[in-house]
Every structure is written in structure tokens, then in C-alpha cells.
Amino acid sequence: MPANAALVDYLLTRRSVGPAFLVEPGPNAEELKTLLTIGTRVPDHGKLAPWRLVLFVGDERRRAGAVLADIAKTKNSGVTEAELDVERQRFLPAPLTIGVISTAAEHPKIPEFEQLISAGNVAFNLVHAANALGYAAQWVTRWYAYDAEAAGALGAKPGERFAGFVHVGTPTTRIEDRPRPALDDVVTYWSGQ
């Protein structure tokens, strides 16, 4: 039996729960501090902290969705009202969304790629932290992570980009496991050839 069987079981059974199935309550102030502390305990070559976090809570979730809808409307004259409603709901009903911004920049010793994957580790650690605290979470990107105007409106500064958005809340459903790749399909042993 593993030294930490509960942790092994969690890692073998963790599921993402989409924002539509995440509701109040979300983390309280103390839990949020713990969640963010765990989230930022990641590999970080050079101790650069090449990331930062933007929190979307309360009424600001609705305002952020309205901003996305406005941007979507200006970029696509054929967008339907139903599609705009989807944008308006992007940060709902999940009580908390954490935008993980990569601040990766040129450095004499640490490649930008390493800095970027450090931000990815933050996003995934936030998912683990949410689950450890009894909540559920999902890490997504969506179009607004890649659109400079939308990313800027959501808090990214010039030269920064979103590694993703982590939605956190109380799950209303248990998500069934999805098929996972067979280890034989994705694992090889290096043989020097």
C-alpha cells in the first residue's frame, strides 16, 4: 500500500467539473488564501514567478462576461444573440474564476518555454487545491485567452498571455471518467537509438 493512499486515490480519480456544474458556495477568504498558496507552489526555475493571477468573483463575473460579449459582437457582425448570451455567462455560475497569466519574458538563463509551463503548473495546482479543499474545478482557455483585445480587457498586460482560466465552486454533479490513453501508446523507454 502506498505511503499516502488517499493522495494516490485522488490523483487516479480526479475529474474536471465544468463551470455550468459549479455553484455557490465557493471558497471563503481563508480557503482562498490556501488555494492560492497551493496554486503558486510550482516548479519555477530561477524563482522568477513568471505568472500572476486575476480573480473574477461576485458581480465582476457578470461584468467580465458582458465585456466578452461586447468584444465578440465587434469582431463578428453575424454573431447571434444566443451566442452573445454564452459569452455573457462565461464566468457563471462558478463562484470563482482564476485567470492564470503567463508573464514569461526573455531571460539570459531561463527559456521562455520553461516560464510558460510554470504558469501551466500554477493552473493545474489550482485545480488540485480546489479539490483538496472539497470543491471542484476546471481549467479552460477558450477564445478570449488567445484574443489580444479580450485578454487585455480581462487583465493581461502587453507581452502577457493567459495560460488559462480555472473555474472553482461546489459541484452539483459527479463527472464520469473519460477514456484515458493506454500507457503503451504514450510511454517508451529510451534505448539510445
Side-chain angles (χ1 to χ4, degrees), residues 32 35-36 40 51-57 91 96-103 119 122-123 126 138-141 144-145 151 154-156 160-168:
L32 180 60
L35 189 150
L36 297 173
T40 56
W51 27 257
R52 58 188 190 82
L53 308 175
V54 177
L55 278 55
F56 300 86
V57 296
F91 296 103
L96 169 65
T97 296
I98 305 168
V100 180
I101 295 176
S102 169
T103 61
V122 170
L126 289 169
Q138 184 180 43
W139 170 17
V140 299
T141 48
Y144 43 88
L154 295 176
E160 298 179 338
R161 62 181 169 174
F162 278 97
F165 297 84
V166 179
H167 301 284
V168 178

Side-chain angles (χ1 to χ4, degrees), residues 76-113:
N76 179 2
S77 61
V79 68
T80 67
E81 193 58 35
E83 291 167 329
L84 292 174
D85 281 341
V86 167
E87 300 308 333
R88 291 182 188 108
Q89 303 297 313
R90 285 292 185 190
F91 296 103
L92 299 170
L96 169 65
T97 296
I98 305 168
V100 180
I101 295 176
S102 169
T103 61
E106 194 170 316
H107 188 279
K109 292 185 178 180
I110 296 127
E112 286 185 48
F113 179 73

Side-chain angles (χ1 to χ4, degrees), residues 1-2 9 46 58 75 90 96 123 130 146-147 158 167 174 186 188 192:
M1 172 157 305
D9 182 59
K75 291 184 178 284
R90 285 292 185 190
L96 169 65
Y146 304 105
D147 181 276
H167 301 284
R174 171 132 173 91
V186 296
T188 58

Side-chain angles (χ1 to χ4, degrees), residues 114-130:
E114 286 187 23
Q115 298 173 54
L116 176 61
I117 59 176
S118 183
N121 277 278
V122 170
F124 201 33
N125 251 20
L126 289 169
V127 171
H128 288 315

